[in-house]
Amino acid sequence: MSDPIIASLQEAFPEHLLEEVKKEFLHGFAMNRVRAETEAKQIAQFGHSNEAKDIDGVGRLVAKIPPDSFYYWSHVLGPQCWEDKQFLREFMRDNPEVAVRNYAKKTIVNGTIFDSSGYIAK
């Protein structure tokens, strides 16, 4: 074995348990991937059925990034990757479920601005 960590793991477990440990590592990774995909789809469903509102001084919500994806790409590329507009566009292209597309709409009647809930917007 070229990797000393894997070699030490093989020595730590009895021979008859090695295959079970290997399966657990594989299933654990697969389980996390499926869980992350399911959470992203739930976030997308919620985002498509509920309006996102602009926040004064902060701007418009454009995406809801799952924590696993945020930390993975921050680790791989550095935390500044989320400030890169090109990276964010590509991430949203590859993961369309994270994009927020349902924005609060404002209506103007005789110069008075109403938000989508019917209240006067400031």
Side-chain angles (χ1 to χ4, degrees):
M1 284 285 143
S2 61
D3 191 343
I5 295 174
I6 292 175
S8 66
L9 283 174
Q10 286 181 330
E11 294 171 6
F13 294 104
E15 188 68 34
H16 69 282
L17 290 179
L18 283 176
E19 191 61 32
E20 293 299 319
V21 171
K22 180 180 175 183
K23 286 180 184 177
E24 181 59 31
F25 281 134
L26 291 174
H27 288 279
F29 290 129
M31 180 184 65
N32 287 337
R33 181 182 53 79
V34 169
R35 182 185 50 77
E37 289 174 356
T38 302
E39 285 178 2
K41 288 178 183 174
Q42 289 172 342
I43 289 170
Q45 185 177 21
F46 180 81
H48 294 313
S49 62
N50 295 292
E51 294 178 338
K53 297 182 179 178
D54 295 347
I55 299 173
D56 291 335
V58 175
R60 174 176 272 194
L61 179 66
V62 294
K64 291 187 177 184
I65 311 297
D68 289 339
S69 296
F70 178 83
Y71 290 117
Y72 174 80
W73 287 110
S74 294
H75 177 73
V76 171
L77 301 175
Q80 72 281 359
C81 70
W82 296 106
E83 297 171 13
D84 181 8
K85 290 182 181 183
Q86 180 64 28
F87 171 79
L88 194 55
R89 273 194 301 272
E90 291 173 5
F91 184 83
M92 289 172 36
R93 178 197 66 209
D94 297 340
N95 304 281
E97 65 274 4
V98 303
V100 174
R101 292 186 169 83
N102 191 7
Y103 296 105
K105 292 147 184 77
K106 294 180 181 175
T107 305
I108 300 175
V109 178
N110 292 334
T112 304
I113 302 173
F114 294 89
D115 62 16
S116 59
S117 61
Y119 293 103
I120 297 175
K122 295 183 179 185

